[in-house]
Amino acid sequence: MMYEFTDDYLTGVEQIDNEHRKLFAIANEAYELLKDNFVSDKYDYIREILEELRGYTKTHFAHEEEYMDKIQYRRRFSQKIQHAEFIKKLEDIDLDGIDENQQETLLEILDFLANWLVSHIKKSDTLINK
Ligand SMILES: [Fe+2]
Ligand SMILES: [Fe+2]
């Protein structure tokens, strides 16, 4: 497993932690696909992962924002801006352009996702319940 969900990522809110685990699982799925040399055409798989990621992040952000509103978390506005930027970035990935550049697209998704997991979950989400 490339991306491991360790205690550093825990927020202490069970539902949020479980959703973060799922995001790690999607990142690992993308990594496995990147490494897989037996699949020559990865287009459908990339599409599936991207759609899963788009859908799941929206669900997760909605839950997390609901929780932050409920506890009147004082940094919730900057959180919401970061969430919106992440969604925008995922939506900007152009699936039509993938065919020629499958590995590059996968790498791009992974870089961006891994960076998000570390920077946003570890540095921002873990503060929510403190
Ligand atoms: Fe989160
Ligand atoms: Fe967040």
Side-chain angles (χ1 to χ4, degrees):
M1 201 193 295
M2 178 67 182
Y3 305 105
E4 203 188 341
F5 186 92
T6 56
D7 285 354
D8 313 347
Y9 294 95
L10 287 172
T11 65
V13 184
E14 202 184 351
Q15 185 190 14
I16 292 178
D17 288 334
N18 286 335
E19 291 178 359
H20 288 159
R21 282 190 179 92
K22 171 72 180 170
L23 290 171
F24 272 72
I26 298 173
N28 282 310
E29 241 181 272
Y31 182 70
E32 291 305 316
L33 181 61
L34 177 76
K35 277 194 323 181
D36 193 333
N37 296 323
F38 296 101
V39 183
S40 55
D41 186 357
K42 299 182 177 177
Y43 181 83
D44 290 341
Y45 297 106
I46 296 174
R47 204 188 170 98
E48 258 171 52
I49 285 177
L50 194 57
E51 270 162 17
E52 188 183 19
L53 192 56
R54 281 171 174 161
Y56 199 76
T57 47
K58 279 186 190 154
T59 307
H60 167 61
F61 291 161
H63 291 157
E64 203 178 270
E65 289 177 12
E66 200 182 306
Y67 179 79
M68 288 189 287
D69 288 340
K70 195 177 85 184
I71 65 164
Q72 295 280 294
Y73 178 56
R74 67 191 164 89
R75 294 195 194 88
R76 64 190 180 282
F77 303 106
S78 75
Q79 272 270 356
K80 287 176 187 179
I81 290 168
Q82 290 182 49
H83 291 170
E85 282 170 359
F86 187 82
I87 288 172
K88 168 98 175 48
K89 190 125 199 228
L90 284 179
E91 274 163 7
D92 281 348
I93 297 172
D94 176 18
L95 278 164
D96 296 331
I98 287 181
D99 243 353
E100 302 293 298
N101 304 299
Q102 296 187 347
Q103 290 294 94
E104 287 92 309
T105 306
L106 258 177
L107 259 178
E108 192 192 318
I109 296 172
L110 258 179
D111 264 357
F112 164 55
L113 183 56
N115 190 48
W116 171 267
L117 295 176
V118 174
S119 70
H120 184 82
I121 296 180
K122 206 179 203 175
K123 296 193 185 114
S124 300
D125 289 351
T126 53
L127 301 174
I128 295 172
N129 207 31
K130 288 219 169 92

